[in-house]
Amino acid sequence: MAPSRITPICLLVYLCFLGVFVKSVLSAKARHFKWEVDYMIGAPDCLEHVVMAINGQFPSPTIKARAGDTVVVHLTNKLHTEGVVIHWHGIRQLGTPWADGTASISQCAINPGETFVYRFKVDKAGTYFYHGHYGMQRSAGLYGLLIVDVEEGKKEPFQYDGEFNLLLSDWWHKGVHDQEVDLSSNPFRWIGEPESLLINGRGQYNCSLAAAHDSKVNGCTFRGNEACAPNILHVKPNKTYRLRVASTTSLASLNLAIGNHKMLMVEADGNYLQPFSVNDFDIYSGETYSVLFRTDQRPTDNYWISVGVRGRQPRTPQGLAIVHYQTTTASKFPTLPPPQTPLWNDYARSKSFSNKIRALSGSPKPPINHHRRIFLLNTQNRIDGYTKWAINNVSLSLPPTPYLGSIKHRLTNAFDQKSPPDTFLSTYDIMKPHQIPTPPMENANALNPNVSEIHPWHLHGHDFWVLGYGEGMFSKRDEEKLNLKNPPLRNTVVIFPYGWTALRFVTDNPGVWAFHCHIEPHLHMGMGVVFAEGVHLVGKIPDEALSCGLTGKMLMGKQHKLLATCYLLRR
């Protein structure tokens, strides 16, 4: 047999590929952060309050990295009486499922005084964020942005002259521990609507930035309290800016608009979109977007950015920021009133926007066929007298031993081993309150008649294709409407009242992954499921991630055995 050889053309291609690979590896960096989580006194909406912060910052520090970089965060818990974890929202954690930051699912909570090291790769450019995933600590203010730029030498599929980040959140004056007690009480006590909406951690309570346009409301004064003054985006005329927007709200679905400026949608959840123009857009908790806007308005004026509540009858004033044209003064309030938020229950408008979101040409397409189909029914239930949310009649209750560790080490007594149902009775009437006798996701009536809410669902460890939305119960004829041509890749998706949403994803990331409503009180009340995926393929899990529950006892037993062995050897 003649010896194998590489032709000159093949050698050239190989060397080019090797050069690109080496350049990519060399340009990737390890980015180190040393963080301490603690409570501090702040005034997010001009009213003094306790907030959770990292290194004394609220919102917490922004992480900036490039695709391919490794992020290393040394997180020390300075809280005196509670544990903490951080979830890196939208980061798939390929090969590092223990770094996902979900208490009782991927790791143990980090105890007071302890340090845990999160080490993970950010494999894809996009707009992301991070937040607490233990109890309701996101509601307490534990969140920040995570921005991943393209690799060195690569370009985005769109051009812009500068960029800004907006982190949207809602804010209560009642503390999160009180809220948790309310939600877990019998009789049930709802937490109510937020007192204010925050943009980059700033909002205004009991006053109006737009008072100049309405003599009936009180204006805001920020003398000595600039920490709650409106965010100002300083722009130059006739430029194109990228606006990265992330919603970490605990409850509110929002709509964002920039006065007199159109926006071009270009990215969602770290995936490129077929660009389309909007005057405003809805953004649900857990979602991120990038939009482009052109500063082509009168340069002697400034303009409002408005954020208002959608999907719930609004009892919270708009959140406001300012686009400042640098050809005028930053202290000059806009002459036009803020854009009005669309009617809260105009779901037709919301669905029209969602259906316009399509993947950029050339994006990965979903598999045509599926290997397994799961139907999830979203209901509000009474369980042992308590008000809970349930999926297929099962309400999520997390165990003391993290699922990742107990499944990996085959600890069968760590949680209920009975498989949850893959579907529900086809005779179920989603238009009526929960009927006690009992793979799209179905959104049914709540316990109160004629009430069905918006639910944004977030999947950890994966992106999924959004194949479509529909009304009522999903049926065989709905399958013909599913979009397999250019569906968007997302990690968070909305389920509209009395409707269904169809998703598809590939189980290519071994680990244990949460799939849950991103509304904080709904997750607290059990609205979530857990996917265990090829856990036997997961490599060695760091001991510090499993130092609680039965895995903690197991590790302690191994340590005692090791110490005894060392003692015998020494003798």
Side-chain angles (χ1 to χ4, degrees), residues 442-458:
E442 300 282 358
N443 192 8
N445 202 105
L447 287 175
N448 293 327
N450 304 314
V451 174
S452 184
E453 301 182 23
I454 276 179
H455 298 292
W457 275 70
H458 170 59

Side-chain angles (χ1 to χ4, degrees), residues 375-394:
F375 291 84
L376 300 178
L377 176 66
N378 196 32
T379 59
Q380 195 176 56
N381 298 34
R382 285 275 190 189
I383 299 177
D384 297 329
Y386 293 88
T387 301
K388 296 286 187 180
W389 287 97
I391 306 301
N392 292 355
N393 225 30
V394 178

Side-chain angles (χ1 to χ4, degrees), residues 44-45 58 138-141 143 167-173 179 191-199 247-254 285 309 312 316 519-521:
D45 62 0
F58 170 78
R138 177 159 54 94
S139 296
Y143 45 73
L167 182 60
L168 312 180
S169 53
D170 40 14
W171 189 250
W172 282 258
H173 294 161
Q179 291 183 37
I191 62 171
E193 302 302 310
E195 269 77 21
S196 54
L197 301 177
L198 308 183
I199 300 178
S247 176
T248 185
T249 55
S250 295
L251 175 65
S253 302
L254 301 174
S285 177
V309 173
R312 306 181 68 84
T316 309
I519 292 176
E520 193 80 306

Side-chain angles (χ1 to χ4, degrees), residues 30 58 97 135 143 150 153 176 178 205 217 281 333 342 362 403 408 418 454 505 516 531:
F58 170 78
Y143 45 73
V150 294
V176 292
D178 291 341
Y205 173 67
V217 295
F281 64 93
F333 268 22
Y403 287 114
K408 174 71 173 175
K418 187 173 69 175
I454 276 179
F505 72 97
H516 63 90
F531 291 136

Side-chain angles (χ1 to χ4, degrees), residues 31 33 35 60-71 88-91 120-130 143-151 156 158 160 162-168 200 242-247 267 269-270 272 287-291:
R31 300 183 184 269
F33 303 88
W35 284 358
S60 296
T62 296
I63 289 179
K64 290 213 71 173
R66 287 191 177 274
D69 286 352
T70 297
V71 172
W88 315 95
H89 187 107
I91 304 302
F120 56 90
K121 189 174 182 178
V122 289
D123 64 300
K124 188 171 60 169
T127 305
Y128 308 101
F129 62 100
Y130 61 87
Y143 45 73
L145 284 164
L146 199 171
I147 305 300
V148 182
D149 289 319
V150 294
E151 297 172 28
E156 305 270 15
F158 43 82
Y160 52 94
E163 72 176 54
F164 300 99
N165 304 326
L166 295 184
L167 182 60
L168 312 180
N200 289 343
R242 179 181 190 170
L243 187 63
R244 297 180 184 262
V245 187
S247 176
E267 179 231 341
D269 296 352
Y272 297 126
E287 291 187 328
T288 69
Y289 288 105
S290 282
V291 300

Side-chain angles (χ1 to χ4, degrees), residues 48-117:
E48 201 168 79
H49 204 279
V50 172
V51 299
M52 289 191 91
I54 291 177
N55 294 351
Q57 294 183 44
F58 170 78
S60 296
T62 296
I63 289 179
K64 290 213 71 173
R66 287 191 177 274
D69 286 352
T70 297
V71 172
V72 184
V73 178
H74 298 255
L75 187 78
T76 300
N77 181 3
K78 290 290 186 176
L79 307 171
H80 295 294
T81 58
E82 58 190 297
V84 70
V85 294
I86 297 288
H87 168 55
W88 315 95
H89 187 107
I91 304 302
R92 294 179 292 176
Q93 299 295 346
L94 300 172
T96 52
W98 51 83
D100 188 49
T102 45
S104 295
I105 298 176
S106 64
Q107 70 169 109
C108 301
I110 306 163
N111 289 323
E114 292 183 347
T115 298
F116 183 84
V117 180

Side-chain angles (χ1 to χ4, degrees), residues 253-509:
S253 302
L254 301 174
N255 178 274
L256 183 143
I258 307 174
N260 272 30
H261 292 73
K262 285 188 173 293
M263 294 171 284
L264 192 69
M265 312 295 299
V266 293
E267 179 231 341
D269 296 352
N271 297 286
Y272 297 126
L273 302 178
Q274 191 65 40
F276 64 100
S277 179
V278 295
N279 294 317
D280 59 77
F281 64 93
D282 291 339
I283 180 168
Y284 303 97
S285 177
E287 291 187 328
T288 69
Y289 288 105
S290 282
V291 300
L292 304 181
F293 71 97
R294 182 82 180 162
T295 51
D296 54 4
Q297 297 302 300
R298 191 164 60 186
T300 54
D301 284 342
N302 294 325
Y303 300 86
W304 291 112
I305 297 176
S306 69
V307 173
V309 173
R310 297 277 274 132
R312 306 181 68 84
Q313 190 160 6
R315 295 181 176 88
T316 309
Q318 285 181 320
L320 296 171
I322 295 174
V323 173
H324 163 231
Y325 277 64
Q326 292 178 319
T327 43
T328 188
T329 60
S331 59
K332 177 183 175 182
F333 268 22
T335 55
L336 296 174
Q340 286 191 346
T341 302
L343 287 175
W344 69 275
N345 57 355
D346 186 353
Y347 295 119
R349 182 188 180 111
S350 298
K351 293 171 185 176
S352 174
F353 168 72
S354 293
N355 282 313
K356 289 177 183 175
I357 299 174
R358 294 286 183 262
L360 185 65
S361 177
S363 299
K365 293 180 184 284
I368 299 299
N369 300 308
H370 59 269
H371 296 100
R372 182 177 176 185
R373 174 178 283 187
I374 301 174
F375 291 84
L376 300 178
L377 176 66
N378 196 32
T379 59
Q380 195 176 56
N381 298 34
R382 285 275 190 189
I383 299 177
D384 297 329
Y386 293 88
T387 301
K388 296 286 187 180
W389 287 97
I391 306 301
N392 292 355
N393 225 30
V394 178
S395 185
L396 178 63
S397 179
L398 296 173
T401 304
Y403 287 114
L404 180 63
S406 60
I407 296 173
K408 174 71 173 175
H409 294 289
R410 300 177 183 177
L411 304 177
T412 57
N413 56 339
F415 64 93
D416 187 349
Q417 297 290 304
K418 187 173 69 175
S419 296
D422 269 14
T423 187
F424 54 90
L425 290 176
S426 59
T427 55
Y428 192 96
D429 188 348
I430 68 168
M431 304 303 290
K432 295 180 180 179
H434 179 64
Q435 300 112 58
I436 292 176
T438 181
M441 300 187 60
E442 300 282 358
N443 192 8
N445 202 105
L447 287 175
N448 293 327
N450 304 314
V451 174
S452 184
E453 301 182 23
I454 276 179
H455 298 292
W457 275 70
H458 170 59
L459 177 60
H460 294 226
H462 298 274
D463 285 346
F464 49 70
W465 288 275
V466 182
L467 303 186
Y469 308 89
E471 312 290 333
M473 290 278 284
F474 184 83
S475 66
K476 187 73 175 175
R477 64 180 178 272
D478 289 317
E479 293 187 30
E480 301 170 5
K481 305 173 186 175
L482 299 182
N483 176 18
L484 297 173
K485 180 182 177 183
N486 58 353
L489 270 170
R490 306 293 303 265
N491 61 58
T492 305
V493 70
V494 62
I495 305 174
F496 292 106
Y498 299 115
W500 56 263
T501 298
L503 314 175
R504 185 164 292 174
F505 72 97
V506 178
T507 54
D508 56 0
N509 191 13

